Amino acid sequence: MTPVRTPLTSALLLAMAPLAAHAAPETAADNDAGAAAATDLDKVQVRGSWFNPSSPKFTAELLDTPKSVSIVSEKLLQQTGATNLQDALRMVPGITFGAGEGGNPTGDRPFIRGFDSQSNIFVDGLRDVGSQTREVFDLEQVEVVKGPSSAYGGRDSGGGSLNLVSKTPKLKNETSASMGVGTDSYARGTVDANYMLGEGTAARLNLMKHDSDIPGRDAANVSRWGIAPSIAFGLNGPAQLIVGHYHMETDDLPDAGGFPYSNPFGSGPNVSRNGDGSPLVPDRNNYYGLKDRDFQRTRADISTIDANYDFGGHKLRNIARLGNTSNDYLWTQPDDSKGNPNLFGTLWRRTNSRAVDVKSFVDQLSLTGNFDTGALKHSYSVGVEYSDEKMSRGSYLMTPGTNNPLTNSTSCPTTGAATGYNCTDFNNPTPNDPWSATHVVYRSDKALDVEQTSKTRSAYLFDTIELSAQWLINLGLRYDDFSTEMVTPVAGQAPTVFKHDSDFLNYQAGVVFKPTANGSIYLSYGTSSTPPGMDGGDGSDGLSAAVADLKPQRTENFELGTKWDLFDKRLNLTAAAFHTVLDNARVTVDNGTSQNAGKKVINGIEVGFTGQLTDAWSLYGGYTWLDSELKDNGYVCATPVGRACPSGIYMPSPYNGNVFPNTAKHSANLWTTYSFPFGLTLGAGATYSDKQYGDVANTKWVPSYTRWDAMASYAIQDNISLQLNLQNLTDKTYFTKAYASHYASIAPGRSATLALNVKF
């Protein structure tokens, strides 16, 4: 294998010179640098060197940044055969995934260090608020910033954030294309074409078309296509402009449901039929949805203008984005609390639906650079941001409804046409049932859509101060003014309106000691603020009468860590221990109201490694241990009736001391490749995740698992190769998502894909 080469173009290297300096020696920022110099920069060998974050808010190299950051490179995405964000994040231990339904949308819902980070996803440093299942065809790398991160991005759930870095034009003529086929009707094609159009001007076009069934699952399939054109001016000068657009559409028969838990009966005469709380799986292939009813269609249109000007060691940059995304679906959630599988061996086809459109405008103006004050050296980033997000949410309705007409309820003693096909056999479901022959699906009245508008005004400052060759101080400060309003129309009545306004100040501070130039030891402190309605109406943290007037939740994190470049930067090692506390969590108190009175604590240790140990052997991996506890989960109703508490009597939560939902105590991953001199490269990897609970009661759970993957590629010529990927090599039956009360999502089975990759 040839040494890893920087994916950064001359444009990015010029734009991020302070960050790129560690990955490459200083090169001609000489005025004669042009296309030839850009080519030389692209050939710099970085071996196992740190891939630096793209954000200018990181004012030091990653080696000297007192915070845990994991980066999944484009090369790793390509080697592992990743096609979506969940595939990419499988390479980062400490991340699990949550499921959705109707009010809480399906789509990318990562949990970072035990905290729901669905609303903490950024693209090129700007918040991406619309729920969707994201692709990787236009990504340079995926960056995971761990721990409370409000100093970097504003409102935050407390566990960390994701930044997806888009591909941009560079000063070279190069095109790569990949055409893949595989099991389960897999067919995928991508094109990445970059052309120089003139002195300092280049254009890039990324294309993708993907169709496949879900391995190991009946009926379910995915179909999507995308296009991402961009053009850049001034790549060889101090003034640069990059304009790009991203468009993607999907049309899937969704497989979000999976299987119900085995313990639907909380009490009563049927409680003896309960299982242990794990999912019921009569056959992993079982699909409980309906082919002629279920669907998920998404669309994303995102336009970006990125302009910057370098004037003598200081850079002024403005990046603006206009986004419009939609997420429409109607899918079958497997019956759970109704208990039909346990009672009758049947399943009620509960439906979840959503029809949401999100429009957003975000603008960020920043100034970065370096200066000295006496003997102190400063690397700074200062900026202001403004965002305006507008969400409109409806649903899909059915006539007649989905109750069993024989029982006029959700009880399914029998199945078939007489039940309106709303009931099916649990062991042998029939997704081909002609449900739509007697039913009509229609969208809810748009005049009654829930509308939520959120606006944020922010200012931030970061500074890395070099006290000496051995000591650095990293400081970050951010102020946010956040306001959101949700309007729910009511037919024939005045609408229901909830508002929340708050401002919050967050910090990031760390001290770094460098015993040698290639290592660092750090101690850091960071905070985050989670205001009510932080999801902008399209996530899991919405506004309601109970929480609209509460203060933002506040999370604090203390972290002690170390980072090392070893063996001439061929191997990078990281290790960190952290203590995270959310001490004003929103919980129900003893009078039945919601207050900022709860407490959640998580302690953890994580290690990571990445390296090009020899020109032939590379590896990437890590391990995370998370010890979470719901210290104070508030109060619960002593005698509830459904969701109501008619008695008005509350008692301390019996869940105090339980672990966080969607949090694996142990998780680890490893990926390694070896290249032989005759053109063959072999790769293999494993992913391990411990048991996860779906609910705070810790009664519903999915078991631990180890998944194995493998890859083999062969270079037919210098610019032509074949790549075989085997996913879930042992055909392991395991679960990727655990919903709080209803169901768990099963993972795809074994699959094989073969791709022809060409560069010219």
Side-chain angles (χ1 to χ4, degrees), residues 627-630 655 657-663 693 695-698:
D627 182 23
S628 63
E629 182 180 359
L630 298 168
Y655 313 138
N658 285 0
V659 304
F660 293 8
N662 301 104
T663 304
Y693 291 106
D695 59 344
V696 296
N698 290 179

Side-chain angles (χ1 to χ4, degrees), residues 77 82-89 108 133-136 224:
L77 295 175
T83 62
N84 56 49
L85 184 58
Q86 185 169 324
D87 288 344
L89 295 180
D108 296 325
T133 300
R134 294 165 177 84
E135 250 280 350
V136 302
R224 56 185 183 262

Side-chain angles (χ1 to χ4, degrees), residues 126 216 471 632 668 686 692:
L126 303 180
W471 292 95
D632 185 351
Q692 300 172 43

Side-chain angles (χ1 to χ4, degrees), residues 58-382:
F58 287 86
T59 51
E61 299 169 5
L62 195 54
L63 178 68
D64 300 328
T65 297
K67 197 167 186 68
S68 293
V69 181
S70 297
I71 296 181
V72 181
S73 67
E74 182 186 10
K75 178 182 177 182
L76 190 59
L77 295 175
Q78 190 271 335
Q79 285 184 344
T80 57
T83 62
N84 56 49
L85 184 58
Q86 185 169 324
D87 288 344
L89 295 180
R90 194 171 64 244
M91 293 293 100
V92 183
I95 296 182
T96 58
F97 300 92
E101 49 169 8
N104 180 14
T106 63
D108 296 325
R109 192 186 176 197
F111 279 68
I112 304 176
R113 289 186 175 178
F115 292 86
D116 190 342
S117 301
Q118 182 178 42
S119 301
N120 299 350
I121 299 177
F122 297 76
V123 175
D124 301 323
L126 303 180
R127 190 180 297 272
D128 189 34
V129 293
S131 62
Q132 54 185 293
T133 300
R134 294 165 177 84
E135 250 280 350
V136 302
F137 79 98
D138 190 42
L139 294 187
E140 202 81 71
Q141 62 187 29
V142 178
E143 304 167 351
V144 185
V145 180
K146 298 178 181 178
S149 304
S150 282
Y152 292 95
R155 65 190 197 261
D156 180 89
S157 65
S161 61
L162 305 175
N163 185 39
L164 314 183
V165 183
S166 303
K167 295 177 180 178
T168 55
K170 51 190 176 183
L171 286 176
K172 62 164 51 176
N173 291 324
E174 183 178 76
T175 297
S176 60
S178 178
M179 296 155 283
V181 295
T183 59
D184 305 284
S185 303
Y186 177 97
R188 180 179 175 88
T190 60
V191 175
D192 182 354
N194 191 97
Y195 293 98
M196 293 175 58
L197 302 179
E199 186 73 16
T201 303
R204 192 168 184 174
L205 177 65
N206 280 273
L207 302 170
M208 177 275 301
K209 182 67 173 77
H210 179 108
D211 290 283
S212 68
D213 295 337
I214 306 297
R217 302 286 291 140
D218 289 342
N221 58 68
V222 297
S223 178
R224 56 185 183 262
W225 70 274
I227 180 171
S230 56
I231 188 169
F233 305 92
L235 293 181
N236 59 348
Q240 301 175 4
L241 175 67
I242 303 174
V243 180
H245 182 77
Y246 175 89
H247 175 87
M248 190 182 79
E249 294 185 22
T250 71
D251 187 0
D252 304 342
L253 181 60
D255 190 27
F259 294 88
Y261 295 112
S262 62
N263 58 342
F265 306 111
S267 61
N270 295 312
V271 70
S272 62
R273 297 176 180 266
N274 274 343
D276 61 2
S278 62
L280 288 168
V281 186
D283 186 331
R284 67 165 302 151
N285 294 289
N286 283 1
Y287 179 78
Y288 297 105
L290 289 157
K291 287 184 179 179
D292 69 350
R293 180 186 72 183
D294 293 6
F295 66 88
Q296 182 165 21
R297 293 187 284 268
T298 69
R299 189 202 71 251
D301 279 291
I302 302 171
S303 299
T304 305
I305 299 178
D306 187 353
N308 64 77
Y309 182 74
D310 192 330
F311 50 99
H314 303 273
K315 178 164 293 184
L316 183 66
R317 181 193 189 202
N318 192 88
I319 179 170
R321 171 167 297 139
L322 190 64
N324 187 347
T325 62
S326 65
N327 187 4
D328 287 17
Y329 57 79
L330 189 158
W331 57 272
T332 300
Q333 183 189 120
D335 176 26
D336 48 20
S337 57
K338 311 309 174 186
N340 288 296
N342 302 63
L343 292 173
F344 311 115
T346 63
L347 183 135
W348 172 56
R349 284 171 162 152
R350 170 177 172 165
T351 57
N352 285 118
S353 73
R354 190 177 182 88
V356 65
D357 290 284
V358 178
K359 295 179 174 62
S360 63
F361 171 75
V362 190
D363 187 87
Q364 181 186 104
L365 176 66
S366 64
L367 180 67
T368 59
N370 301 276
F371 65 91
D372 297 341
T373 55
L376 302 181
K377 298 180 179 180
H378 299 261
S379 176
Y380 74 91
S381 178
V382 60

